[in-house]
Amino acid sequence: MGSPFSGAAPYYARHRLDHGEEAVAHVAAVLGRDATVLDLGCGPGTVAIPLAPHVREVLAVDPDPEMLAEGRRLGAHVPNIRWLSGDSTGLAALPPFGHVVMGRSFHWMDRRAVLAELDRLLPPDGVVVLLGPSRQPPEEPWEPAMRRVRARLGVGKGTRTASDSYKATGLHHHDVLAASPFSDLTTACYERRVTTDLDSVLGLQFSYSYSTPPLLGERLEAFVEDARRELLADNPSGEWEHVRQTEVVVARRPAARPAGRPPRG
């Protein structure tokens, strides 16, 4: 089976909002200048590229070759990122790392299995950091219109995920982490007000696994026309002001519990 994001990389890089400078600065402060960090499910470098100047090295790992190619292009000026093909099922085969960050990728994974493997691989002070929406994020203001479009065209059905993913279980990441070896959680939420125009809303749809251009296929033109019409009917200005939230979750092992292998290199 091919990547669910086949064809999405340029739209993901251009139209997905970044996590914001404050959130990245928070992560950098937690990890420290000497850190070697695994960005697992890195996409086109949404976390890896802004984080890399603050740490020793980032291992940017993704299973989608188009995402890695886009990341290499966007991060060509950043020397301390290694772009590697891989996924959460092959962690032991990766080069050594001391911490892990994930931005909107953890929900695809067999989360308990991944955390158990990270408990085996990470040094005693290694942390797992998630960046993404808060537990109850505000709905994007264009989403009601896009739901109607997807429903009419049968878009968004049957996306496959791992057996312990968020979609498969409904368990929030906080709950999975709290029952894992990395159960000592701290959270911080950063907000900023942004404006998104019609073209960006349309482009954003092509970054989602359920509505990439290859997946839409012959429905692509009808999807764009219907979405444009529905969005402008809801909001004739073609611009949406909204609040962008990024939650940073830092998950550590409880201090009293020795675990993991010694630091490497």
Side-chain angles (χ1 to χ4, degrees):
M1 183 180 68
S3 166
F5 288 94
S6 178
Y11 302 101
Y12 201 112
R14 181 174 179 181
H15 298 292
R16 294 256 187 146
L17 289 175
D18 61 33
H19 296 292
E21 293 180 1
E22 287 185 299
V24 173
H26 181 134
V27 175
V30 168
L31 302 181
R33 283 271 175 194
D34 198 41
T36 297
V37 185
L38 169 63
D39 181 2
L40 183 58
C42 65
T46 310
V47 176
I49 293 171
L51 180 62
H54 304 285
V55 298
R56 179 196 292 178
E57 185 179 35
V58 177
L59 308 177
V61 173
D62 201 278
D64 188 305
E66 296 172 356
M67 289 288 188
L68 291 173
E70 191 71 11
R72 290 188 185 98
R73 183 183 71 82
L74 295 171
H77 62 292
V78 186
N80 62 328
I81 302 177
R82 275 194 275 177
W83 302 95
L84 303 171
S85 179
D87 63 28
S88 61
T89 66
L91 296 173
L94 296 174
F97 51 89
H99 306 285
V100 180
V101 298
M102 290 176 271
R104 301 189 71 106
S105 59
F106 191 47
H107 67 276
W108 285 93
M109 303 175 191
D110 275 316
R111 295 172 294 173
R112 290 185 180 90
V114 169
L115 292 169
E117 182 70 347
L118 290 176
D119 186 37
R120 188 178 73 82
L121 293 174
L122 284 173
D125 62 346
V127 301
V128 176
V129 181
L130 305 183
L131 294 93
S134 63
R135 186 160 194 152
Q136 294 182 317
E139 183 175 71
E140 292 168 329
W142 55 80
E143 183 57 21
M146 289 310 308
R147 272 200 299 269
R148 295 193 292 270
V149 174
R150 291 195 295 267
R152 279 197 293 269
L153 295 179
V155 174
K157 298 179 179 178
T159 303
R160 294 179 61 184
T161 60
S163 60
D164 192 39
S165 67
Y166 174 75
K167 182 177 179 181
T169 67
L171 284 175
H172 192 272
H173 297 337
H174 290 190
D175 301 322
V176 174
L177 286 165
S180 81
F182 300 91
S183 60
D184 181 2
L185 307 183
T186 59
T187 64
C189 191
Y190 298 93
E191 293 188 349
R192 53 197 166 121
R193 185 164 290 277
V194 297
T195 300
T196 303
D197 64 20
L198 178 63
D199 287 342
S200 291
V201 172
L202 293 172
L204 185 64
Q205 309 312 307
F206 302 143
S207 78
Y208 297 135
S209 62
Y210 51 76
S211 53
T212 63
L215 194 59
L216 288 170
E218 295 180 351
R219 299 173 293 173
L220 178 57
E221 185 176 348
F223 180 83
V224 172
E225 290 179 357
D226 196 17
R228 186 180 296 274
R229 182 170 52 249
E230 194 75 36
L231 288 164
L232 289 175
D234 267 16
N235 181 10
S237 75
E239 289 192 342
W240 290 261
E241 289 190 5
H242 55 109
V243 173
R244 166 70 173 183
Q245 283 188 345
T246 295
E247 183 182 65
V248 179
V249 180
V250 179
R252 297 177 171 87
R253 301 181 182 97
R257 178 183 174 276
R261 61 188 176 194
R264 300 176 293 173

PDB file of all heavy atoms in Angstrom, residues 151-168:
ATOM      1  N   ALA A 151     -19.416  15.364   2.110  1.00  0.00           N
ATOM      2  CA  ALA A 151     -20.557  14.444   2.188  1.00  0.00           C
ATOM      3  C   ALA A 151     -21.204  14.261   0.815  1.00  0.00           C
ATOM      4  O   ALA A 151     -21.564  13.139   0.427  1.00  0.00           O
ATOM      5  CB  ALA A 151     -21.582  14.951   3.202  1.00  0.00           C
ATOM      6  N   ARG A 152     -21.347  15.343   0.069  1.00  0.00           N
ATOM      7  CA  ARG A 152     -21.988  15.248  -1.248  1.00  0.00           C
ATOM      8  C   ARG A 152     -21.166  14.410  -2.222  1.00  0.00           C
ATOM      9  O   ARG A 152     -21.727  13.677  -3.042  1.00  0.00           O
ATOM     10  CB  ARG A 152     -22.203  16.648  -1.823  1.00  0.00           C
ATOM     11  CG  ARG A 152     -23.416  17.356  -1.294  1.00  0.00           C
ATOM     12  CD  ARG A 152     -23.823  18.534  -2.157  1.00  0.00           C
ATOM     13  NE  ARG A 152     -22.850  19.610  -2.134  1.00  0.00           N
ATOM     14  CZ  ARG A 152     -22.886  20.632  -1.273  1.00  0.00           C
ATOM     15  NH1 ARG A 152     -23.842  20.696  -0.357  1.00  0.00           N
ATOM     16  NH2 ARG A 152     -21.978  21.582  -1.323  1.00  0.00           N
ATOM     17  N   LEU A 153     -19.830  14.518  -2.127  1.00  0.00           N
ATOM     18  CA  LEU A 153     -18.969  13.827  -3.089  1.00  0.00           C
ATOM     19  C   LEU A 153     -18.395  12.520  -2.553  1.00  0.00           C
ATOM     20  O   LEU A 153     -17.600  11.866  -3.230  1.00  0.00           O
ATOM     21  CB  LEU A 153     -17.832  14.762  -3.519  1.00  0.00           C
ATOM     22  CG  LEU A 153     -18.263  16.012  -4.289  1.00  0.00           C
ATOM     23  CD1 LEU A 153     -17.058  16.869  -4.627  1.00  0.00           C
ATOM     24  CD2 LEU A 153     -19.010  15.640  -5.558  1.00  0.00           C
ATOM     25  N   GLY A 154     -18.779  12.135  -1.344  1.00  0.00           N
ATOM     26  CA  GLY A 154     -18.281  10.880  -0.783  1.00  0.00           C
ATOM     27  C   GLY A 154     -16.799  10.903  -0.503  1.00  0.00           C
ATOM     28  O   GLY A 154     -16.102   9.892  -0.660  1.00  0.00           O
ATOM     29  N   VAL A 155     -16.290  12.032  -0.053  1.00  0.00           N
ATOM     30  CA  VAL A 155     -14.858  12.197   0.242  1.00  0.00           C
ATOM     31  C   VAL A 155     -14.633  12.000   1.734  1.00  0.00           C
ATOM     32  O   VAL A 155     -15.430  12.455   2.559  1.00  0.00           O
ATOM     33  CB  VAL A 155     -14.376  13.601  -0.181  1.00  0.00           C
ATOM     34  CG1 VAL A 155     -12.933  13.848   0.259  1.00  0.00           C
ATOM     35  CG2 VAL A 155     -14.501  13.763  -1.689  1.00  0.00           C
ATOM     36  N   GLY A 156     -13.542  11.321   2.073  1.00  0.00           N
ATOM     37  CA  GLY A 156     -13.178  11.187   3.480  1.00  0.00           C
ATOM     38  C   GLY A 156     -13.579   9.882   4.107  1.00  0.00           C
ATOM     39  O   GLY A 156     -13.576   9.749   5.329  1.00  0.00           O
ATOM     40  N   LYS A 157     -13.900   8.884   3.299  1.00  0.00           N
ATOM     41  CA  LYS A 157     -14.310   7.594   3.846  1.00  0.00           C
ATOM     42  C   LYS A 157     -13.182   6.580   3.704  1.00  0.00           C
ATOM     43  O   LYS A 157     -12.468   6.546   2.713  1.00  0.00           O
ATOM     44  CB  LYS A 157     -15.548   7.073   3.115  1.00  0.00           C
ATOM     45  CG  LYS A 157     -16.765   7.982   3.260  1.00  0.00           C
ATOM     46  CD  LYS A 157     -17.952   7.433   2.493  1.00  0.00           C
ATOM     47  CE  LYS A 157     -19.174   8.340   2.652  1.00  0.00           C
ATOM     48  NZ  LYS A 157     -20.339   7.862   1.880  1.00  0.00           N
ATOM     49  N   GLY A 158     -13.051   5.743   4.736  1.00  0.00           N
ATOM     50  CA  GLY A 158     -12.189   4.579   4.621  1.00  0.00           C
ATOM     51  C   GLY A 158     -10.699   4.818   4.776  1.00  0.00           C
ATOM     52  O   GLY A 158      -9.908   3.985   4.351  1.00  0.00           O
ATOM     53  N   THR A 159     -10.264   5.933   5.381  1.00  0.00           N
ATOM     54  CA  THR A 159      -8.842   6.150   5.605  1.00  0.00           C
ATOM     55  C   THR A 159      -8.324   5.128   6.608  1.00  0.00           C
ATOM     56  O   THR A 159      -8.857   5.000   7.705  1.00  0.00           O
ATOM     57  CB  THR A 159      -8.582   7.568   6.139  1.00  0.00           C
ATOM     58  OG1 THR A 159      -9.121   8.510   5.207  1.00  0.00           O
ATOM     59  CG2 THR A 159      -7.095   7.822   6.289  1.00  0.00           C
ATOM     60  N   ARG A 160      -7.283   4.392   6.236  1.00  0.00           N
ATOM     61  CA  ARG A 160      -6.756   3.330   7.094  1.00  0.00           C
ATOM     62  C   ARG A 160      -5.752   3.894   8.091  1.00  0.00           C
ATOM     63  O   ARG A 160      -4.917   4.733   7.748  1.00  0.00           O
ATOM     64  CB  ARG A 160      -6.090   2.257   6.240  1.00  0.00           C
ATOM     65  CG  ARG A 160      -7.055   1.506   5.346  1.00  0.00           C
ATOM     66  CD  ARG A 160      -6.337   0.477   4.498  1.00  0.00           C
ATOM     67  NE  ARG A 160      -5.670  -0.514   5.334  1.00  0.00           N
ATOM     68  CZ  ARG A 160      -4.893  -1.488   4.844  1.00  0.00           C
ATOM     69  NH1 ARG A 160      -4.677  -1.569   3.548  1.00  0.00           N
ATOM     70  NH2 ARG A 160      -4.317  -2.370   5.640  1.00  0.00           N
ATOM     71  N   THR A 161      -5.832   3.424   9.329  1.00  0.00           N
ATOM     72  CA  THR A 161      -4.870   3.809  10.353  1.00  0.00           C
ATOM     73  C   THR A 161      -4.474   2.569  11.134  1.00  0.00           C
ATOM     74  O   THR A 161      -5.064   1.499  10.988  1.00  0.00           O
ATOM     75  CB  THR A 161      -5.465   4.845  11.330  1.00  0.00           C
ATOM     76  OG1 THR A 161      -6.619   4.281  11.966  1.00  0.00           O
ATOM     77  CG2 THR A 161      -5.865   6.112  10.596  1.00  0.00           C
ATOM     78  N   ALA A 162      -3.468   2.701  11.989  1.00  0.00           N
ATOM     79  CA  ALA A 162      -3.006   1.582  12.804  1.00  0.00           C
ATOM     80  C   ALA A 162      -4.059   1.211  13.844  1.00  0.00           C
ATOM     81  O   ALA A 162      -4.941   1.991  14.184  1.00  0.00           O
ATOM     82  CB  ALA A 162      -1.683   1.948  13.487  1.00  0.00           C
ATOM     83  N   SER A 163      -3.932  -0.008  14.370  1.00  0.00           N
ATOM     84  CA  SER A 163      -4.972  -0.551  15.254  1.00  0.00           C
ATOM     85  C   SER A 163      -5.080   0.209  16.575  1.00  0.00           C
ATOM     86  O   SER A 163      -6.151   0.212  17.194  1.00  0.00           O
ATOM     87  CB  SER A 163      -4.695  -2.027  15.534  1.00  0.00           C
ATOM     88  OG  SER A 163      -3.432  -2.197  16.160  1.00  0.00           O
ATOM     89  N   ASP A 164      -4.011   0.854  17.014  1.00  0.00           N
ATOM     90  CA  ASP A 164      -4.057   1.617  18.263  1.00  0.00           C
ATOM     91  C   ASP A 164      -3.974   3.118  17.994  1.00  0.00           C
ATOM     92  O   ASP A 164      -3.573   3.892  18.854  1.00  0.00           O
ATOM     93  CB  ASP A 164      -2.928   1.184  19.204  1.00  0.00           C
ATOM     94  CG  ASP A 164      -3.111   1.745  20.614  1.00  0.00           C
ATOM     95  OD1 ASP A 164      -4.256   1.781  21.096  1.00  0.00           O
ATOM     96  OD2 ASP A 164      -2.101   2.162  21.213  1.00  0.00           O
ATOM     97  N   SER A 165      -4.365   3.524  16.792  1.00  0.00           N
ATOM     98  CA  SER A 165      -4.366   4.945  16.455  1.00  0.00           C
ATOM     99  C   SER A 165      -5.511   5.651  17.163  1.00  0.00           C
ATOM    100  O   SER A 165      -6.417   5.032  17.722  1.00  0.00           O
ATOM    101  CB  SER A 165      -4.527   5.117  14.944  1.00  0.00           C
ATOM    102  OG  SER A 165      -5.818   4.695  14.543  1.00  0.00           O
ATOM    103  N   TYR A 166      -5.479   6.983  17.097  1.00  0.00           N
ATOM    104  CA  TYR A 166      -6.586   7.751  17.679  1.00  0.00           C
ATOM    105  C   TYR A 166      -7.906   7.422  16.989  1.00  0.00           C
ATOM    106  O   TYR A 166      -8.936   7.230  17.640  1.00  0.00           O
ATOM    107  CB  TYR A 166      -6.291   9.247  17.574  1.00  0.00           C
ATOM    108  CG  TYR A 166      -7.447  10.106  18.027  1.00  0.00           C
ATOM    109  CD1 TYR A 166      -7.735  10.242  19.379  1.00  0.00           C
ATOM    110  CD2 TYR A 166      -8.269  10.751  17.105  1.00  0.00           C
ATOM    111  CE1 TYR A 166      -8.809  11.006  19.805  1.00  0.00           C
ATOM    112  CE2 TYR A 166      -9.333  11.512  17.521  1.00  0.00           C
ATOM    113  CZ  TYR A 166      -9.606  11.645  18.868  1.00  0.00           C
ATOM    114  OH  TYR A 166     -10.673  12.401  19.283  1.00  0.00           O
ATOM    115  N   LYS A 167      -7.888   7.322  15.654  1.00  0.00           N
ATOM    116  CA  LYS A 167      -9.119   7.041  14.926  1.00  0.00           C
ATOM    117  C   LYS A 167      -9.687   5.674  15.290  1.00  0.00           C
ATOM    118  O   LYS A 167     -10.899   5.502  15.413  1.00  0.00           O
ATOM    119  CB  LYS A 167      -8.860   7.116  13.417  1.00  0.00           C
ATOM    120  CG  LYS A 167     -10.108   6.874  12.576  1.00  0.00           C
ATOM    121  CD  LYS A 167      -9.830   7.035  11.096  1.00  0.00           C
ATOM    122  CE  LYS A 167     -11.095   6.770  10.282  1.00  0.00           C
ATOM    123  NZ  LYS A 167     -10.855   6.905   8.827  1.00  0.00           N
ATOM    124  N   ALA A 168      -8.810   4.691  15.486  1.00  0.00           N
ATOM    125  CA  ALA A 168      -9.275   3.337  15.770  1.00  0.00           C
ATOM    126  C   ALA A 168      -9.814   3.186  17.184  1.00  0.00           C
ATOM    127  O   ALA A 168     -10.736   2.390  17.422  1.00  0.00           O
ATOM    128  CB  ALA A 168      -8.137   2.343  15.540  1.00  0.00           C
TER     129      ALA A 168
END
